[in-house]
Each structure stands twice: as C-alpha cells, then as structure tokens.
Amino acid sequence: MSNFQILTSIYKTLLKTFGHQNWWPAETADEIIIGAILTQNVSWNNVEKAIINLKQYNLCTLEQIHHSNIDEIAPLIRSTLYFNRKAKKLQNFTEFLFTYYNGDVCKMFQTEIRTLRKQLLQINGIGEETADSILLYAGAKPVFVIDAYTKRIFTRLGLTRQNWNYAEYQKFFMKNLPEDIELFNDYHAQIVYLGKHFCKRKPLCDECPLNSFCERNKLSI
Ligand code: SF4
C-alpha cells in the first residue's frame, strides 16, 4: 500500500470508530486563537476553565485582550500553567494583530499562507504547532497540524521516525494526503482522540482501532 492509501485507511478507520470530532471547540476565530495559545503544554480541560473566566470578565476577544493588561489577564488563566507567560503571549499576538492588521483577523487571514505563517512564527511565544492551529482552525487554511500525539502514534505505527523535526512530519502528511481543509481539520482531531484514549504513554493496543496497521503492536504479539 502507498502512504496515501495507508493514511487514508487510517483516517477512515478513526472516523468510523470515533465519529466526526467537530473541531475546534470554540465559538469564534478569536476564541480559537486564544485557545491555541493557552493550550500549549496543558490539557484542554484547563483551557476551558480559562476561557470561561475570560468570558465572564469580558476578556475573550482579541480586542479586549489588547486593551487590557497582563495583571488583569493572568489570574483568569491560572488553570493553564505558566499563566503570566501565557498572558504575555496573548498580548504579543494582539500587538502583532493591531500593528500589522489594524486588529482585523479577517484581514490577517487574507495574507498569503506562507507569508502569514512566517509572520506568526516571529511572534514571541508562537511556535509551529500554535501557528498551524491558528491557520487551520481559525483561518481555514490547508496546513496539517503536528503535535506530540501525532509523533507518538505515527512513529509507533512505523510510518514516521522519532527523530524527524516538525517540518518533516508535516511534509509526510501534506505530501501524502489531498490538500483538503476539512480532512486536515478532522484528521488532527482524530489523532488527538486516539492519543488521549488509546495510544497513551502506556498504549492500550488490544482495544485500539489501529492495531491491524501498527508495527509496534505486531512486534509485541
Ligand atoms: S496499536 Fe498500540 S501502539 Fe499502535 S497506534 Fe494503537 S495504541 Fe498506539
């Protein structure tokens, strides 16, 4: 089977087993961007608590964040760890948005995708995974998001190598899948679900829907 066929079969199996994941869990593009920054190194449950707090204090839009200060934001996002640093990252993003795009997210997403990605990566506190999550989930741009679950699962499956860097992982998916925003969106969400519930640090291979594809599982039989 080609990599295209394997990746497609894996997605179909995950979709059939888990159903469509309907990501990103947010109401607006602003909320997606805020969530993408806050979720660095913490679980989504912790981000949800922070988002609820921000909404309660009318600080859950990029404009509101831009016109507030770190001391107001930080206590509300305490659940996301490194909350002072994350408050600063949120403001770094809004500073960029207001400086270059007059605070207009739609205008920002009109920028050519590679140019915008480079710009996002220049913001202090925005790494590749966060930039790509913003591009895909808030901007509906065709980029495949790579995270720790992706690396763990696809290396265990025997399709990628642990020592690959972010760009190598991303190239593997983008080269072997059609450029389809909806597919990229739900594929990443399925990977996260599988990583959380089956392909954990200690994997539950017997119950995993991908066990017939998996090198690691074959080796342990
Ligand atoms: S079979 Fe096991 S190692 Fe392979 S993807 Fe599933 S949980 Fe991970």
Side-chain angles (χ1 to χ4, degrees):
M1 271 212 280
S2 67
N3 284 334
F4 164 75
Q5 288 168 319
I6 296 170
L7 285 179
T8 304
S9 300
I10 286 174
Y11 176 66
K12 283 184 180 165
T13 304
L14 293 172
L15 179 62
K16 200 171 153 202
T17 312
F18 303 141
H20 197 284
Q21 296 298 298
N22 300 311
W23 267 33
W24 183 286
E27 289 171 359
T28 62
D30 283 20
E31 240 183 88
I32 294 172
I33 294 169
I34 293 167
I37 294 169
L38 295 183
T39 199
Q40 295 172 353
N41 303 311
V42 288
S43 72
W44 186 252
N45 288 346
N46 293 327
V47 177
E48 273 180 337
K49 286 179 200 157
I51 298 266
I52 289 169
N53 284 341
L54 289 170
K55 279 185 175 167
Q56 203 179 345
Y57 285 85
N58 290 325
L59 281 173
C60 206
T61 70
L62 295 168
E63 183 168 5
Q64 286 161 342
I65 285 177
H66 187 60
H67 295 301
S68 64
N69 60 56
I70 289 175
D71 293 344
E72 286 175 87
I73 303 165
L76 302 176
I77 61 170
R78 193 174 279 273
S79 60
T80 66
L81 302 178
Y82 317 113
F83 47 94
N84 284 316
R85 253 187 279 165
K86 285 189 179 170
K88 179 81 177 96
K89 286 179 187 186
L90 287 173
Q91 288 213 315
N92 290 345
F93 180 86
T94 62
E95 185 63 34
F96 158 80
L97 184 67
F98 278 79
T99 303
Y100 294 101
Y101 296 104
N102 204 23
D104 186 341
V105 171
C106 295
K107 200 170 155 197
M108 179 183 83
F109 285 126
Q110 283 165 15
T111 305
E112 191 274 325
I113 183 168
R114 274 168 303 183
T115 306
L116 179 56
R117 190 175 190 273
K118 273 189 198 155
Q119 291 175 350
L120 293 174
L121 290 174
Q122 279 167 8
I123 302 170
N124 196 345
I126 305 290
E128 290 184 289
E129 184 186 334
T130 307
D132 288 339
S133 296
I134 290 171
L135 288 168
L136 176 64
Y137 290 107
K141 303 290 178 194
V143 290
F144 201 94
V145 178
I146 304 297
D147 67 355
Y149 291 127
T150 318
K151 293 177 184 172
R152 180 200 291 167
I153 292 167
F154 284 83
T155 300
R156 285 176 172 175
L157 287 168
L159 294 169
T160 58
R161 302 233 173 94
Q162 202 161 15
N163 63 353
W164 282 3
N165 62 27
Y166 189 98
E168 288 170 314
Y169 273 97
Q170 191 172 52
K171 191 172 163 197
F172 173 75
F173 286 93
M174 294 188 63
K175 203 176 125 199
N176 292 304
L177 286 171
E179 192 179 279
D180 179 338
I181 295 161
E182 177 52 36
L183 174 66
F184 288 0
N185 176 322
D186 195 52
Y187 209 137
H188 175 65
Q190 299 287 350
I191 288 169
V192 172
Y193 192 90
L194 186 83
K196 273 187 187 167
H197 300 278
F198 296 90
C199 202
K200 308 175 187 193
R201 274 180 219 284
K202 202 170 167 203
L204 305 175
C205 299
D206 288 347
E207 296 119 75
C208 175
L210 299 187
N211 57 20
S212 63
F213 295 89
C214 189
E215 278 299 319
R216 179 188 163 114
N217 189 45
K218 283 175 201 152
L219 291 173
S220 59
I221 288 170

